[in-house]
Amino acid sequence: MAGVKSLAKDTAIYGLSSIVGRFLNWLLVPLYTTKLTQGEYGIVTNIYAYVALTLIVLTYGMETGFFRFVNRDDCKNPMRVYSTSLISLAVTSVLFIVAVFVFLTPLSRGLDCAEHPGYIGMMAIAVAVDAFTSIPFSYLRYKQRPVKFAMLKCLNIGINIGLNLLFFLVVFNPEIGVGYIFFANMLASVVLLPLLYKELTGFRWEMDFGLLKRMLKYSFPLLILGIAGIMNQNLDKILFPVLASNMPDAYAQLGIYGACCKVALVMMMFTQAFRFAYEPFIFAKNRAENADKFKAYSDVMKFFVVFAMIIFLGVMFYMPILQLFIAPGFRSGLQVVPIVMIADLFFGVFFNLSLWYKLTDKTIWGTWFSLIGLVITLGMNVMLVPRIGYMGCAWAAFACYGTMMVVSYFVGRAKHPLRYPVKRISAYFIGALLLYGAGMMIDAGNDWLTMAARTPLLVIYLLAVLKFENIPLISRK
C-alpha cells in the first residue's frame, strides 16, 4: 500500500501539469466556440489530430526506451543513456522542421490550409520542440522531481493561455482567427527550451551508437504501438471531413464533435496524469526483490478504475454546469460525452495492463493490440460516420479501446499471470454505471435541483468504496 500511496502522490503532482493545466486550457473552449465558427473550430480539431500523430512519430518510443535502459541492472552510466536519447531526438526534430518548410506548400494544400501555410509552419516548430523536450521531462520523472516537472508544464500552459486571452480578447482580428491558436502554441513551446537549461547542461553530450541501436530496437514496437494508439484517438478527426463529405457542413460537424469531446477531456486528463507517474513507478518497482510489488500492481488497477468512475459520475451528474463551457451552437453533440469517457477509461485500463509486456521486453504485443484497435477504429468509422456522423466516431472509440482492453487482459493472463481483483473492479464499474442510469432518470424540472438530487448517488458510491476497501472516513492518526 505504501507504493500505491507514493504513486498517488506523484500522480497528484503530475496532475498539476495534466489535470489542472488541461483544465485551464479547457476554459479556453468557450472563448474559441464564441469567437470562431463551427467550421473554423473544425479546422483546429483536424490539424491538432495531425499534430498528435506527428508528435508520436517524432518521439518514436524513446521516452519509454529511456526509462527501460536507465533502469536496467546493467546500466552503469545513466547519463550516457540520457545523452544518447537527447542527441537522437535533437537530430530528428531539426530534420523534421527542415523537411516541413521545404514542402510547406504541398503540405498546406493537403491539409486544406493552402491560403494559410503559416498554420502548418508554426505547428511544425511547436511539435518538434515538444518532441525534443520530452526527454528532459522524462529525465525529471526519472530523477523523481515531479514538482519541477509540473511547474514547467504549468508555465508552458500558462503562457499559452495568456497569449490566447491577449489575442482573442484584446487584439482579435477575424481574418487571422485560428492562426492565433497556433502562434500561441508555438511561442509557449519554444519558451521551454531555455527553462530546461540545467537539464541540458552539466554533463557530457555523447552518442553511443551501440546503445542507440538497442534502444531503437526496444522502442520501435512502441513507436508502432504509439502510432496505432494515437490513430485510434485521432483517426476519426483526421478522416471525418472525408467520410462525412456527403454532409454540406462536415467541418462544422467536426467542430461540434471536437468541442464536446473537450467536455469528456476530464477522463483523459486523469489518465494522462496517471501515465506520467505509472511508468517510472513500475520500472522502479520491478527491481524490488519482493512479492509486494505484485499486490501494488493489483491495487493500482483497482483504484484507477474507482477514481475514473468517480470522475465519470461527477461529469455526468453535473453536466448542466459543464455544458456552459461550450457555446450553445456546439451543444447538440453532448450525447457523445459518456461514450467517449468510458472509452478513455478502457484505454487507461489497457495502459495499466501493458506492464507485463513492457517489463518482459515483449513490447511487440502492445503493437499487435493497438493494431487490432486501429482496424476496429478504421472499420467502424468508415461504416458509421457516413450514416450517423460524429456519433459513429464515439462508438468506434468505445469499441476500439474496449476490445484492446479485453484482448490484452486475456493474453497477459496467459503470458505473465498477475492476479487482478476482477470481480471487485467489475463491481465498482457496473455499480457506477447503475448509479449513472439512476441519475439520468432524475429530472426535478430545474437544473440546480436535478444536480442536488443526483449528488446523494455520488456520495453513496464513495461511501461504498470506503466501506469495501476498509478505508476510514476520518484518519485516526
Side-chain angles (χ1 to χ4, degrees):
M1 183 62 73
V4 176
K5 290 181 178 179
S6 176
L7 176 63
K9 182 187 73 173
D10 285 354
T11 299
I13 297 175
Y14 287 122
L16 290 174
S17 61
S18 182
I19 296 177
V20 177
R22 290 198 180 190
F23 174 76
L24 293 175
N25 261 327
W26 186 34
L27 297 179
L28 293 174
V29 174
L31 188 63
Y32 294 157
T33 55
T34 300
K35 291 287 188 177
L36 303 176
T37 67
Q38 295 171 344
E40 288 175 324
Y41 195 73
I43 292 174
V44 174
T45 302
N46 184 251
I47 290 181
Y48 271 105
Y50 281 103
V51 166
L53 173 61
T54 305
L55 185 59
I56 292 296
V57 174
L58 285 181
T59 52
Y60 42 91
M62 287 296 280
E63 291 174 278
T64 302
F66 166 74
F67 281 119
R68 177 55 178 163
F69 280 81
V70 83
N71 281 288
R72 288 175 67 102
D73 293 332
D74 58 355
C75 179
K76 298 179 181 179
N77 188 349
M79 296 310 296
R80 179 173 295 174
V81 178
Y82 179 52
S83 176
T84 298
S85 305
L86 272 178
I87 295 174
S88 179
L89 282 180
V91 171
T92 52
S93 295
V94 170
L95 290 176
F96 169 75
I97 293 176
V98 172
V100 167
F101 277 91
V102 169
F103 299 102
L104 187 58
T105 299
L107 282 173
S108 301
R109 291 173 180 169
L111 295 173
D112 293 327
C113 293
E115 296 180 0
H116 302 282
Y119 294 173
I120 309 304
M122 288 186 288
M123 292 314 299
I125 293 173
V127 75
V129 172
D130 288 345
F132 171 69
T133 57
S134 67
I135 294 300
F137 277 112
S138 295
Y139 181 72
L140 289 173
R141 292 159 61 194
Y142 162 69
K143 299 296 289 185
Q144 296 183 340
R145 300 184 62 189
V147 174
K148 182 171 184 178
F149 179 101
M151 288 179 63
L152 289 176
K153 287 289 187 178
C154 285
L155 179 61
N156 168 260
I157 293 167
I159 293 172
N160 195 0
I161 291 173
L163 290 173
N164 271 278
L165 293 176
L166 172 66
F167 295 149
F168 279 88
L169 296 180
V170 181
V171 297
F172 185 75
N173 181 346
E175 294 183 3
I176 298 177
V178 299
Y180 288 123
I181 299 176
F182 304 133
F183 185 55
N185 193 333
M186 181 189 69
L187 290 180
S189 295
V190 172
V191 166
L192 282 182
L193 285 173
L195 298 178
L196 287 165
Y197 174 79
K198 289 186 177 180
E199 283 66 43
L200 298 174
T201 59
F203 61 92
R204 181 182 177 185
W205 283 64
E206 56 181 336
M207 170 67 82
D208 186 330
F209 288 98
L211 172 62
L212 177 62
K213 183 178 179 180
R214 295 194 300 274
M215 292 180 72
L216 291 175
K217 182 179 180 181
Y218 173 85
S219 299
F220 181 74
L222 295 178
L223 168 61
I224 306 302
L225 185 157
I227 291 175
I230 208 68
M231 289 289 279
N232 287 333
Q233 294 178 23
N234 293 282
L235 185 63
D236 53 353
K237 302 174 185 69
I238 292 174
L239 293 181
F240 191 89
V242 177
L243 296 177
S245 58
N246 61 317
M247 304 178 186
D249 55 351
Y251 272 101
Q253 292 299 307
L254 179 58
I256 292 173
Y257 176 62
C260 290
C261 282
K262 293 294 186 181
V263 178
L265 192 63
V266 180
M267 184 70 77
M268 185 181 293
M269 290 188 291
F270 168 67
T271 302
Q272 183 65 41
F274 174 82
R275 290 175 64 186
F276 276 133
Y278 191 55
E279 274 194 340
F281 171 80
I282 63 168
F283 284 122
K285 198 75 176 175
N286 188 55
R287 301 178 70 172
E289 297 295 335
N290 58 70
D292 179 68
K293 62 184 179 184
F294 297 110
K295 185 178 185 307
Y297 298 151
S298 177
D299 287 342
V300 166
M301 172 70 84
K302 177 175 60 180
F303 286 109
F304 172 82
V305 173
V306 167
F307 284 114
M309 294 313 294
I310 290 173
I311 292 171
F312 174 79
L313 291 176
V315 169
M316 298 313 303
F317 285 174
Y318 304 113
M319 183 60 72
I321 292 178
L322 297 178
Q323 70 176 1
L324 299 177
F325 285 97
I326 58 177
F330 291 78
R331 295 175 193 167
S332 58
L334 285 173
Q335 65 266 34
V336 305
V337 173
I339 304 170
V340 172
M341 289 191 74
I342 295 297
D344 287 336
L345 166 65
F346 289 163
F347 179 73
V349 173
F350 167 73
F351 181 83
N352 207 316
L353 291 168
S354 70
L355 69 91
W356 71 265
Y357 59 76
K358 289 182 178 178
L359 294 178
T360 57
D361 293 350
K362 297 179 180 178
T363 50
I364 188 64
W365 280 103
T367 303
W368 293 123
F369 299 147
S370 293
L371 288 175
I372 290 172
L374 181 57
V375 170
I376 294 173
T377 299
L378 179 60
M380 291 196 67
N381 271 283
V382 170
M383 180 175 62
L384 296 178
V385 168
R387 294 173 173 83
I388 58 176
Y390 51 71
M391 287 300 297
C393 300
W395 283 115
F398 181 93
C400 162
Y401 293 134
T403 302
M404 288 167 58
M405 174 185 68
V406 171
V407 173
S408 180
Y409 170 73
F410 283 107
V411 174
R413 192 170 68 170
K415 297 288 184 178
H416 192 268
L418 183 61
R419 293 185 178 180
Y420 290 108
V422 177
K423 291 183 178 179
R424 179 158 296 192
I425 291 174
S426 300
Y428 287 144
F429 177 72
I430 295 172
L433 290 182
L434 292 174
L435 290 173
Y436 160 66
M440 293 303 102
M441 294 175 64
I442 297 175
D443 185 357
N446 175 278
D447 286 343
W448 293 101
L449 292 177
T450 297
M451 290 187 290
R454 291 171 178 172
T455 299
L457 298 177
L458 182 57
V459 175
I460 289 172
Y461 186 76
L462 291 169
L463 293 177
V465 171
L466 293 175
K467 177 178 174 57
F468 287 116
E469 297 302 322
N470 295 316
I471 301 174
L473 188 60
I474 301 177
S475 177
R476 298 177 181 178
K477 293 184 179 180

